[in-house]
């Protein structure tokens, strides 16, 4: 199979087939097995240009670390106030310039469609590092890769997604990614933070999806619990927030009621939705997940920048 | 001819002879023809240190991308608030330190004379990336290089410079650079934003310069139109601003009245002084100009850092 | 002697024996004698991750320049407002993530014990780049190395430390470092800014320490004067501040009353506690000190990252 990522924009997880996903997963396996000196040849002399219109230290550093491990460089803007953006420059012009200065662009932008738009303008390939309310394709890729590595497979699993399912863009990207597999998905959230109906509609023919407000009712079935942050600002009533917050916190008591080998995932940063008391358990996958993320991004960049990178 | 840029400060475009300009233009041609792996040897193990006392994302990224393409590193300060500068450190001390940490310094500073001052303090060569009201020598070099590449020559051309000619430092640097060539220069601006008389005086023996307030009157003669941003803040009367703004906007109607092969240039970022409707035309040179800029800066850095860089 | 720094945390200068200090000093000598191409192999493919919870442009750039000179990369957070830290993430989680993204961590944090804590969490070695009120071990190492290079020895010297001895963390680290040598230490400060008694207690069995309020009374004896910044904010009474400031300023008059070969040191940035009029004298060691600092940090990083780096 020829490299499906060479010189290609990564805008939405929906743009990729199951074979594409497996291609980048296999490349990630190979890059993890490589010696640093070999990896360091894959991005040599290449520059990643990033534009973060929303802050995201973690995602930015993950891409920087990935590019550094390939021997490449990175430049960009992560702070809007000091940039030409403040002088009123359009997104289109900013994209065109970073395109001239780099070999691959990483863009985070609050608007839906921003990455598709950027991809059409730029001659070099673009990676959507989060746009609008739904898309964060590399997060979905690393989430799927994490499940694969931790469970040995994705098909046949019961996957619970817990927390703020309405506003978290990682949730939607993950769901669209999971739609390539045969999994049972359990969505657990307060009524007011349920997944948007139009998004459920899109995936319900492909995935078995059930919605819950009570985590305990489904907990014993789950192979994976994917936890997301619930933001206080979302609740008009602080009392309701406190109740919800207590209900969905993952701690030792949760683990006792769960499958022994349940994997707890989180896109990070976490606040208190996962108790630090379980950090030392084998169930706590969230830090390994971040590590897989760096490796998967390195593999993806290597595939985008090189036609036949021996991955 | 020995490399006239090796270990030399780039403070003012006035410091360079026509032969010097041609030397760096020829080096830029060569660096553009090089393979990435060859280029990547020219700055290997070398560090560019930058100090931006005024924000300039574009110029900073252009230098970073240039240095990265030579295989070098870059460090520096672009945000004053988090730096020792806020603790009250003098410019002289800050220059001395960055000098110890790097091999070449890129400085932007609001004061005239700052770069000359810095060049005298530092043991490594310095590049003025914009100082005071007049100097931005690498912008002038890349502007001249752009004209040369787009028109095949500089001598004999009619060059219009439009917009805020009073406050734009790129205008002055470009005029001083053009003074090395036989060109007709047309300065088009509102009365209140004309080029400062003392600067005209300096170049009028070398250049044929004419001033206009009406673009249309000279438009058909121009080979190149160099557009600059007009800032609303400059006008006490908003109505006058709106009038001026309308008059000098470059759009399809402008192109119809102009020479068919007219080249539209702009130091960027642009607001609405150039309509995006002409972006797709061959006359729109401003993005290629930014690209030439990165390449010229790479060539210049290579010449400054290496005595005989095979360029 | 095997490399005592390989994969080891650098938390406190107190953790190191005199033999350890001499090991890194000797490695610094060797790294300074190396060709850039040789140095550039020592950090190739390795990434330094930094976390600055307090601003420090100078220390950050010194580490970046050091890492760049080894051929390595650097990523990190120096501006809290744009980071996940603002979303309320714990120090522990932030450390764990940067640990996954890099090979060595550089941490500056206002709390005592932060680096020890971070070192226990991270799998990669950590460098304390300033924590709490007392620890800044690499500053102490570079201060000691500077004394050694400038005076040819440390034992037997009379060393004066002048200024704000109460709040300056470099003072404490230097004192703990000097405790490995046979030196006379003279502490010169206003009453209100004397070294904290509990810290004196800890070192008084190892060092001969005398306290003074008057610099002139001890000036002729000193081989080294280590000057620190006195911050106006420390004084409730502005008049007292003005008096103190005048008393401790090092200028040409000071040098006349001092030993001819006295070395003036300063961790920088300086304000007016050292007059720029002495910058050109052989006694002004503070800029060379910054340069030694970069080299010592490069040596230290090379030793931490490589078991047998031929240093």
């Amino acid at each position: 199979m020829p490299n499906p990522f060479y010189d290609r924009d990564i805008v939405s997880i929906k743009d990729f087939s199951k074979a594409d996903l497996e291609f980048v997963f296999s490349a990630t396996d190979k890059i993890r097995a490589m010696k640093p000196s070999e990896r360091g040849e894959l991005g040599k002399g290449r520059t990643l240009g990033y534009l973060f219109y929303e802050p995201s230290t973690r995602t930015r550093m993950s891409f920087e670390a990935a590019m550094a491990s390939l021997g490449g460089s990175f430049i960009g803007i992560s702070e809007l106030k000091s940039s030409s953006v403040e002088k009123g420059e359009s997104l289109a012009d900013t994209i065109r310039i970073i395109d001239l200065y780099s070999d691959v662009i990483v863009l985070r932008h609050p608007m839906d469609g921003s990455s598709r738009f950027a991809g059409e303008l730029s001659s070099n390939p673009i990676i959507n590092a989060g746009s609008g309310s739904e898309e964060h394709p590399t997060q979905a890729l690393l989430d799927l890769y994490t499940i694969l590595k931790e469970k040995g497979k994705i098909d046949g699993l019961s996957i619970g997604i817990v927390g703020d399912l309405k506003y978290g863009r990682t949730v939607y990207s993950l769901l669209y990614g999971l739609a390539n597999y045969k999994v049972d998905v359990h969505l657990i959230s307060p009524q007011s933070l349920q997944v948007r109906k139009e998004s459920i509609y899109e995936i319900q023919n492909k995935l078995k999806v059930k919605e819950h407000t009570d985590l305990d009712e489904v907990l014993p079935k789950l192979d994976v619990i994917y936890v997301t942050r619930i933001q206080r600002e979302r609740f008009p009533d602080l009392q309701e927030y406190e109740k919800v917050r207590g209900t969905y916190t993952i701690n030792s008591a949760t683990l006792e009621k769960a499958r022994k080998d349940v994997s707890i995932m989180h896109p990070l940063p976490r606040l208190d939705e996962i108790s630090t008391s379980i950090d030392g358990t084998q169930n706590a996958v969230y830090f390994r997940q971040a590590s897989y993320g760096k490796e998967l991004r390195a593999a993806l960049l290597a595939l985008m920048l090189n036609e036949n990178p021996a991955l």
Side-chain angles (χ1 to χ4, degrees), chain A:
Chain A
M1 179 175 174
N3 171 1
F5 295 95
Y6 177 61
D7 203 22
R8 181 167 171 193
D9 295 331
I10 314 295
V11 171
S12 169
I13 189 76
K14 295 182 209 170
D15 297 343
F16 298 95
S17 68
K18 190 171 177 177
D20 293 341
L21 303 184
E22 278 161 9
F23 195 92
V24 71
F25 296 160
S26 151
T28 309
D29 287 344
K30 285 178 201 147
I31 217 164
R32 289 170 63 206
M34 269 181 163
K35 277 182 247 159
S37 57
E38 283 177 275
R39 284 179 66 146
E41 295 297 315
L42 293 169
K44 206 175 170 178
R46 318 299 281 277
T47 301
L48 180 155
Y50 59 81
L51 293 173
F52 278 80
Y53 286 80
E54 293 179 328
S56 176
T57 310
R58 189 166 313 282
T59 302
R60 176 178 57 77
M61 288 201 302
S62 176
F63 276 108
E64 288 177 350
M67 192 67 182
S69 79
L70 301 178
S73 305
F74 40 84
I75 63 170
I77 317 177
S78 60
E79 305 263 342
L80 297 189
K81 91 210 117 17
S82 67
S83 80
S84 291
V85 171
E86 295 230 316
K87 295 180 189 166
E89 186 179 57
S90 70
L91 174 61
D93 278 17
T94 305
I95 292 291
R96 280 190 190 99
I97 293 294
I98 198 99
D99 187 34
L100 298 169
Y101 291 171
S102 59
D103 301 293
V104 56
I105 301 174
V106 173
L107 174 68
R108 168 165 290 203
H109 194 279
M111 271 169 43
D112 285 317
S114 49
S115 279
R116 188 83 62 195
F117 173 72
E120 280 161 18
L121 285 171
S122 70
S123 63
N124 291 313
I126 201 157
I127 298 175
N128 182 356
S131 69
S133 55
E134 297 208 349
E135 301 290 6
H136 195 351
T138 61
Q139 180 72 44
L141 287 173
L142 79 88
D143 290 341
L144 293 173
Y145 184 73
T146 301
I147 295 172
L148 184 63
K149 292 294 114 176
E150 294 290 324
K151 308 314 254 187
K153 60 171 186 178
I154 301 180
D155 284 323
L157 297 179
S158 277
I159 295 172
I161 309 182
V162 181
D164 175 356
L165 308 186
K166 187 168 184 182
Y167 298 105
R169 64 164 74 109
T170 59
V171 171
Y172 294 87
S173 275
L174 177 57
L175 284 172
Y176 298 134
L178 285 171
N180 291 288
Y181 297 88
K182 295 184 203 329
V183 290
D184 287 351
V185 172
H186 298 273
L187 302 174
I188 304 114
S189 72
Q191 289 279 357
S192 58
L193 295 178
Q194 283 182 344
V195 165
R196 289 186 296 275
K197 288 296 166 267
E198 63 276 23
S199 302
I200 285 264
Y201 182 80
E202 203 179 328
I203 52 171
Q204 67 189 2
N205 295 325
K206 298 178 191 153
L207 279 177
K208 283 168 66 183
V209 178
K210 265 193 154 171
E211 296 192 82
H212 312 261
T213 55
D214 185 2
L215 173 58
D216 281 357
E217 118 194 354
V218 67
L219 185 54
K221 291 185 205 164
L222 302 175
D223 298 295
V224 172
I225 307 178
Y226 191 98
V227 186
T228 66
R229 202 164 64 248
I230 295 188
Q231 294 169 289
R232 198 202 309 236
E233 308 87 83
R234 304 299 187 193
F235 291 83
D237 182 345
L238 205 69
Q239 278 199 314
E240 206 207 331
Y241 166 70
E242 292 295 343
K243 201 181 93 195
V244 163
R245 187 184 166 202
T247 316
Y248 295 134
T249 299
I250 309 295
N251 53 28
S252 314
T254 320
L255 291 188
E256 270 169 41
K257 288 175 277 179
R259 289 180 56 115
K260 219 183 151 183
D261 65 349
V262 67
S263 293
I264 310 295
M265 294 173 65
H266 193 297
L268 302 179
R270 63 138 167 214
L271 297 190
D272 52 11
E273 57 273 8
I274 299 178
S275 165
T276 56
S277 67
I278 72 159
D279 286 359
T281 68
Q282 266 304 307
N283 309 286
V285 167
Y286 28 96
F287 292 118
R288 288 202 290 282
Q289 186 181 355
S291 184
Y292 293 134
K294 175 193 147 185
E295 305 294 11
L296 182 133
R297 285 175 174 134
L300 187 64
L301 287 166
L303 293 173
M304 294 170 74
L305 290 168
N306 303 282
E307 192 158 5
N308 297 302
L311 284 180

mmCIF file of all heavy atoms in Angstrom, chain A residues 141-174:
data_model
loop_
_atom_site.group_PDB
_atom_site.id
_atom_site.type_symbol
_atom_site.label_atom_id
_atom_site.label_comp_id
_atom_site.label_asym_id
_atom_site.label_seq_id
_atom_site.Cartn_x
_atom_site.Cartn_y
_atom_site.Cartn_z
ATOM 1 N N LEU A 141 -6.518 9.970 16.515
ATOM 2 C CA LEU A 141 -5.569 8.936 16.096
ATOM 3 C C LEU A 141 -4.790 8.394 17.283
ATOM 4 O O LEU A 141 -4.612 7.186 17.433
ATOM 5 C CB LEU A 141 -4.582 9.509 15.055
ATOM 6 C CG LEU A 141 -5.137 9.777 13.651
ATOM 7 C CD1 LEU A 141 -4.101 10.487 12.792
ATOM 8 C CD2 LEU A 141 -5.558 8.460 12.974
ATOM 9 N N LEU A 142 -4.345 9.295 18.155
ATOM 10 C CA LEU A 142 -3.544 8.825 19.291
ATOM 11 C C LEU A 142 -4.423 8.109 20.305
ATOM 12 O O LEU A 142 -3.967 7.173 20.986
ATOM 13 C CB LEU A 142 -2.741 9.979 19.896
ATOM 14 C CG LEU A 142 -3.402 10.998 20.826
ATOM 15 C CD1 LEU A 142 -3.373 10.540 22.293
ATOM 16 C CD2 LEU A 142 -2.645 12.316 20.734
ATOM 17 N N ASP A 143 -5.674 8.509 20.407
ATOM 18 C CA ASP A 143 -6.591 7.801 21.306
ATOM 19 C C ASP A 143 -6.820 6.367 20.807
ATOM 20 O O ASP A 143 -6.765 5.409 21.584
ATOM 21 C CB ASP A 143 -7.934 8.541 21.389
ATOM 22 C CG ASP A 143 -7.835 9.863 22.148
ATOM 23 O OD1 ASP A 143 -6.857 10.051 22.901
ATOM 24 O OD2 ASP A 143 -8.728 10.714 21.977
ATOM 25 N N LEU A 144 -7.069 6.225 19.515
ATOM 26 C CA LEU A 144 -7.274 4.886 18.944
ATOM 27 C C LEU A 144 -6.008 4.042 19.084
ATOM 28 O O LEU A 144 -6.068 2.862 19.435
ATOM 29 C CB LEU A 144 -7.664 5.002 17.464
ATOM 30 C CG LEU A 144 -9.030 5.646 17.178
ATOM 31 C CD1 LEU A 144 -9.210 5.848 15.669
ATOM 32 C CD2 LEU A 144 -10.171 4.778 17.724
ATOM 33 N N TYR A 145 -4.860 4.664 18.825
ATOM 34 C CA TYR A 145 -3.595 3.928 18.940
ATOM 35 C C TYR A 145 -3.373 3.468 20.380
ATOM 36 O O TYR A 145 -2.906 2.348 20.624
ATOM 37 C CB TYR A 145 -2.436 4.812 18.468
ATOM 38 C CG TYR A 145 -1.103 4.111 18.466
ATOM 39 C CD1 TYR A 145 -0.809 3.138 17.502
ATOM 40 C CD2 TYR A 145 -0.140 4.395 19.423
ATOM 41 C CE1 TYR A 145 0.416 2.488 17.501
ATOM 42 C CE2 TYR A 145 1.081 3.748 19.425
ATOM 43 C CZ TYR A 145 1.359 2.790 18.463
ATOM 44 O OH TYR A 145 2.575 2.140 18.459
ATOM 45 N N THR A 146 -3.735 4.330 21.321
ATOM 46 C CA THR A 146 -3.591 3.970 22.734
ATOM 47 C C THR A 146 -4.461 2.755 23.073
ATOM 48 O O THR A 146 -4.012 1.810 23.736
ATOM 49 C CB THR A 146 -3.982 5.170 23.629
ATOM 50 O OG1 THR A 146 -3.133 6.274 23.305
ATOM 51 C CG2 THR A 146 -3.838 4.833 25.103
ATOM 52 N N ILE A 147 -5.710 2.767 22.617
ATOM 53 C CA ILE A 147 -6.602 1.628 22.877
ATOM 54 C C ILE A 147 -6.003 0.360 22.280
ATOM 55 O O ILE A 147 -5.915 -0.692 22.933
ATOM 56 C CB ILE A 147 -8.009 1.902 22.284
ATOM 57 C CG1 ILE A 147 -8.662 3.083 23.012
ATOM 58 C CG2 ILE A 147 -8.899 0.649 22.401
ATOM 59 C CD1 ILE A 147 -9.975 3.560 22.385
ATOM 60 N N LEU A 148 -5.525 0.477 21.053
ATOM 61 C CA LEU A 148 -4.934 -0.674 20.362
ATOM 62 C C LEU A 148 -3.743 -1.249 21.133
ATOM 63 O O LEU A 148 -3.621 -2.468 21.297
ATOM 64 C CB LEU A 148 -4.499 -0.232 18.955
ATOM 65 C CG LEU A 148 -3.949 -1.284 18.014
ATOM 66 C CD1 LEU A 148 -5.000 -2.346 17.701
ATOM 67 C CD2 LEU A 148 -3.469 -0.636 16.708
ATOM 68 N N LYS A 149 -2.869 -0.372 21.596
ATOM 69 C CA LYS A 149 -1.673 -0.840 22.293
ATOM 70 C C LYS A 149 -1.999 -1.394 23.673
ATOM 71 O O LYS A 149 -1.404 -2.360 24.130
ATOM 72 C CB LYS A 149 -0.650 0.298 22.439
ATOM 73 C CG LYS A 149 -0.020 0.759 21.152
ATOM 74 C CD LYS A 149 0.848 -0.314 20.529
ATOM 75 C CE LYS A 149 0.264 -0.799 19.213
ATOM 76 N NZ LYS A 149 1.135 -1.773 18.519
ATOM 77 N N GLU A 150 -2.966 -0.785 24.358
ATOM 78 C CA GLU A 150 -3.272 -1.189 25.720
ATOM 79 C C GLU A 150 -4.149 -2.441 25.762
ATOM 80 O O GLU A 150 -4.023 -3.264 26.664
ATOM 81 C CB GLU A 150 -3.953 -0.038 26.473
ATOM 82 C CG GLU A 150 -3.047 1.176 26.695
ATOM 83 C CD GLU A 150 -1.931 0.904 27.703
ATOM 84 O OE1 GLU A 150 -2.178 0.164 28.684
ATOM 85 O OE2 GLU A 150 -0.810 1.425 27.516
ATOM 86 N N LYS A 151 -5.050 -2.574 24.800
ATOM 87 C CA LYS A 151 -5.981 -3.707 24.796
ATOM 88 C C LYS A 151 -5.608 -4.763 23.763
ATOM 89 O O LYS A 151 -6.219 -5.841 23.726
ATOM 90 C CB LYS A 151 -7.415 -3.230 24.499
ATOM 91 C CG LYS A 151 -7.905 -2.082 25.376
ATOM 92 C CD LYS A 151 -7.597 -2.286 26.828
ATOM 93 C CE LYS A 151 -8.785 -2.665 27.666
ATOM 94 N NZ LYS A 151 -8.403 -2.689 29.113
ATOM 95 N N GLY A 152 -4.688 -4.459 22.860
ATOM 96 C CA GLY A 152 -4.302 -5.430 21.833
ATOM 97 C C GLY A 152 -5.248 -5.460 20.638
ATOM 98 O O GLY A 152 -5.005 -6.153 19.654
ATOM 99 N N LYS A 153 -6.346 -4.745 20.718
ATOM 100 C CA LYS A 153 -7.357 -4.709 19.647
ATOM 101 C C LYS A 153 -8.317 -3.555 19.931
ATOM 102 O O LYS A 153 -8.298 -2.981 21.016
ATOM 103 C CB LYS A 153 -8.140 -6.016 19.629
ATOM 104 C CG LYS A 153 -8.867 -6.251 20.969
ATOM 105 C CD LYS A 153 -9.823 -7.410 20.950
ATOM 106 C CE LYS A 153 -10.597 -7.470 22.281
ATOM 107 N NZ LYS A 153 -11.577 -8.526 22.332
ATOM 108 N N ILE A 154 -9.136 -3.221 18.953
ATOM 109 C CA ILE A 154 -10.190 -2.223 19.179
ATOM 110 C C ILE A 154 -11.563 -2.891 19.004
ATOM 111 O O ILE A 154 -12.451 -2.705 19.828
ATOM 112 C CB ILE A 154 -10.031 -1.010 18.228
ATOM 113 C CG1 ILE A 154 -8.653 -0.343 18.450
ATOM 114 C CG2 ILE A 154 -11.146 0.019 18.482
ATOM 115 C CD1 ILE A 154 -8.358 0.857 17.583
ATOM 116 N N ASP A 155 -11.688 -3.707 17.941
ATOM 117 C CA ASP A 155 -12.959 -4.400 17.704
ATOM 118 C C ASP A 155 -13.384 -5.220 18.922
ATOM 119 O O ASP A 155 -12.558 -5.890 19.556
ATOM 120 C CB ASP A 155 -12.819 -5.348 16.496
ATOM 121 C CG ASP A 155 -12.830 -4.580 15.174
ATOM 122 O OD1 ASP A 155 -13.580 -3.592 15.060
ATOM 123 O OD2 ASP A 155 -12.067 -4.964 14.267
ATOM 124 N N GLY A 156 -14.676 -5.147 19.225
ATOM 125 C CA GLY A 156 -15.222 -5.972 20.293
ATOM 126 C C GLY A 156 -15.200 -5.345 21.669
ATOM 127 O O GLY A 156 -15.721 -5.924 22.625
ATOM 128 N N LEU A 157 -14.616 -4.162 21.786
ATOM 129 C CA LEU A 157 -14.505 -3.541 23.108
ATOM 130 C C LEU A 157 -15.753 -2.738 23.478
ATOM 131 O O LEU A 157 -16.498 -2.287 22.613
ATOM 132 C CB LEU A 157 -13.292 -2.602 23.157
ATOM 133 C CG LEU A 157 -11.903 -3.231 22.974
ATOM 134 C CD1 LEU A 157 -10.844 -2.137 23.034
ATOM 135 C CD2 LEU A 157 -11.619 -4.296 24.042
ATOM 136 N N SER A 158 -15.950 -2.566 24.786
ATOM 137 C CA SER A 158 -16.966 -1.653 25.315
ATOM 138 C C SER A 158 -16.260 -0.408 25.820
ATOM 139 O O SER A 158 -15.438 -0.489 26.747
ATOM 140 C CB SER A 158 -17.718 -2.309 26.480
ATOM 141 O OG SER A 158 -18.735 -3.144 25.996
ATOM 142 N N ILE A 159 -16.596 0.717 25.233
ATOM 143 C CA ILE A 159 -15.868 1.943 25.530
ATOM 144 C C ILE A 159 -16.812 2.981 26.102
ATOM 145 O O ILE A 159 -17.808 3.352 25.477
ATOM 146 C CB ILE A 159 -15.186 2.457 24.248
ATOM 147 C CG1 ILE A 159 -14.127 1.437 23.827
ATOM 148 C CG2 ILE A 159 -14.582 3.841 24.461
ATOM 149 C CD1 ILE A 159 -13.505 1.688 22.492
ATOM 150 N N GLY A 160 -16.517 3.424 27.315
ATOM 151 C CA GLY A 160 -17.311 4.470 27.941
ATOM 152 C C GLY A 160 -16.634 5.823 27.780
ATOM 153 O O GLY A 160 -15.418 5.931 27.925
ATOM 154 N N ILE A 161 -17.422 6.835 27.461
ATOM 155 C CA ILE A 161 -16.875 8.192 27.384
ATOM 156 C C ILE A 161 -17.654 9.031 28.379
ATOM 157 O O ILE A 161 -18.888 9.081 28.328
ATOM 158 C CB ILE A 161 -16.994 8.763 25.948
ATOM 159 C CG1 ILE A 161 -16.411 7.752 24.931
ATOM 160 C CG2 ILE A 161 -16.279 10.099 25.839
ATOM 161 C CD1 ILE A 161 -16.425 8.234 23.484
ATOM 162 N N VAL A 162 -16.932 9.658 29.304
ATOM 163 C CA VAL A 162 -17.539 10.257 30.486
ATOM 164 C C VAL A 162 -17.228 11.738 30.584
ATOM 165 O O VAL A 162 -16.092 12.135 30.353
ATOM 166 C CB VAL A 162 -16.993 9.583 31.770
ATOM 167 C CG1 VAL A 162 -17.642 10.178 33.017
ATOM 168 C CG2 VAL A 162 -17.190 8.079 31.731
ATOM 169 N N GLY A 163 -18.222 12.527 30.972
ATOM 170 C CA GLY A 163 -17.944 13.927 31.304
ATOM 171 C C GLY A 163 -18.718 14.900 30.459
ATOM 172 O O GLY A 163 -19.911 14.729 30.234
ATOM 173 N N ASP A 164 -18.026 15.940 30.013
ATOM 174 C CA ASP A 164 -18.655 16.967 29.183
ATOM 175 C C ASP A 164 -18.590 16.514 27.735
ATOM 176 O O ASP A 164 -17.598 16.702 27.047
ATOM 177 C CB ASP A 164 -17.914 18.294 29.366
ATOM 178 C CG ASP A 164 -18.467 19.373 28.431
ATOM 179 O OD1 ASP A 164 -19.354 19.065 27.604
ATOM 180 O OD2 ASP A 164 -18.016 20.511 28.540
ATOM 181 N N LEU A 165 -19.665 15.892 27.257
ATOM 182 C CA LEU A 165 -19.664 15.327 25.902
ATOM 183 C C LEU A 165 -20.199 16.332 24.893
ATOM 184 O O LEU A 165 -20.121 16.124 23.695
ATOM 185 C CB LEU A 165 -20.498 14.047 25.874
ATOM 186 C CG LEU A 165 -20.110 13.023 26.939
ATOM 187 C CD1 LEU A 165 -20.889 11.731 26.725
ATOM 188 C CD2 LEU A 165 -18.617 12.743 26.941
ATOM 189 N N LYS A 166 -20.703 17.431 25.392
ATOM 190 C CA LYS A 166 -21.291 18.417 24.499
ATOM 191 C C LYS A 166 -20.231 19.341 23.908
ATOM 192 O O LYS A 166 -20.237 19.622 22.716
ATOM 193 C CB LYS A 166 -22.328 19.249 25.265
ATOM 194 C CG LYS A 166 -23.117 20.200 24.377
ATOM 195 C CD LYS A 166 -24.312 20.766 25.120
ATOM 196 C CE LYS A 166 -25.163 21.640 24.213
ATOM 197 N NZ LYS A 166 -26.289 22.222 24.966
ATOM 198 N N TYR A 167 -19.323 19.798 24.758
ATOM 199 C CA TYR A 167 -18.394 20.843 24.326
ATOM 200 C C TYR A 167 -16.978 20.347 24.023
ATOM 201 O O TYR A 167 -16.155 21.092 23.514
ATOM 202 C CB TYR A 167 -18.332 21.946 25.383
ATOM 203 C CG TYR A 167 -19.657 22.635 25.608
ATOM 204 C CD1 TYR A 167 -20.416 22.383 26.743
ATOM 205 C CD2 TYR A 167 -20.152 23.524 24.653
ATOM 206 C CE1 TYR A 167 -21.649 23.025 26.931
ATOM 207 C CE2 TYR A 167 -21.372 24.157 24.830
ATOM 208 C CZ TYR A 167 -22.116 23.900 25.982
ATOM 209 O OH TYR A 167 -23.321 24.519 26.161
ATOM 210 N N GLY A 168 -16.688 19.082 24.359
ATOM 211 C CA GLY A 168 -15.310 18.602 24.192
ATOM 212 C C GLY A 168 -15.070 18.106 22.767
ATOM 213 O O GLY A 168 -15.624 17.096 22.353
ATOM 214 N N ARG A 169 -14.205 18.793 22.025
ATOM 215 C CA ARG A 169 -14.036 18.393 20.615
ATOM 216 C C ARG A 169 -13.338 17.040 20.483
ATOM 217 O O ARG A 169 -13.540 16.342 19.500
ATOM 218 C CB ARG A 169 -13.304 19.483 19.814
ATOM 219 C CG ARG A 169 -11.893 19.776 20.224
ATOM 220 C CD ARG A 169 -11.125 20.572 19.162
ATOM 221 N NE ARG A 169 -11.481 21.968 19.042
ATOM 222 C CZ ARG A 169 -10.705 22.998 19.433
ATOM 223 N NH1 ARG A 169 -9.533 22.770 19.998
ATOM 224 N NH2 ARG A 169 -11.086 24.237 19.262
ATOM 225 N N THR A 170 -12.550 16.660 21.479
ATOM 226 C CA THR A 170 -11.895 15.356 21.416
ATOM 227 C C THR A 170 -12.913 14.223 21.396
ATOM 228 O O THR A 170 -12.687 13.181 20.789
ATOM 229 C CB THR A 170 -10.934 15.139 22.608
ATOM 230 O OG1 THR A 170 -11.685 15.253 23.812
ATOM 231 C CG2 THR A 170 -9.822 16.169 22.613
ATOM 232 N N VAL A 171 -14.038 14.436 22.063
ATOM 233 C CA VAL A 171 -15.073 13.402 22.122
ATOM 234 C C VAL A 171 -15.606 13.099 20.716
ATOM 235 O O VAL A 171 -15.741 11.935 20.323
ATOM 236 C CB VAL A 171 -16.232 13.851 23.040
ATOM 237 C CG1 VAL A 171 -17.412 12.889 22.931
ATOM 238 C CG2 VAL A 171 -15.750 13.977 24.481
ATOM 239 N N TYR A 172 -15.903 14.145 19.963
ATOM 240 C CA TYR A 172 -16.478 13.948 18.627
ATOM 241 C C TYR A 172 -15.465 13.285 17.695
ATOM 242 O O TYR A 172 -15.784 12.355 16.956
ATOM 243 C CB TYR A 172 -16.973 15.290 18.060
ATOM 244 C CG TYR A 172 -18.130 15.814 18.873
ATOM 245 C CD1 TYR A 172 -17.908 16.601 20.004
ATOM 246 C CD2 TYR A 172 -19.437 15.474 18.556
ATOM 247 C CE1 TYR A 172 -18.965 17.043 20.778
ATOM 248 C CE2 TYR A 172 -20.511 15.915 19.319
ATOM 249 C CZ TYR A 172 -20.264 16.700 20.437
ATOM 250 O OH TYR A 172 -21.313 17.126 21.202
ATOM 251 N N SER A 173 -14.230 13.749 17.726
ATOM 252 C CA SER A 173 -13.219 13.146 16.869
ATOM 253 C C SER A 173 -13.029 11.671 17.211
ATOM 254 O O SER A 173 -12.887 10.829 16.325
ATOM 255 C CB SER A 173 -11.886 13.897 17.011
ATOM 256 O OG SER A 173 -11.864 15.020 16.159
ATOM 257 N N LEU A 174 -13.037 11.369 18.504
ATOM 258 C CA LEU A 174 -12.887 9.978 18.919
ATOM 259 C C LEU A 174 -14.054 9.132 18.420
ATOM 260 O O LEU A 174 -13.870 8.023 17.894
ATOM 261 C CB LEU A 174 -12.776 9.892 20.443
ATOM 262 C CG LEU A 174 -12.685 8.487 21.026
ATOM 263 C CD1 LEU A 174 -11.495 7.702 20.448
ATOM 264 C CD2 LEU A 174 -12.568 8.536 22.549
#
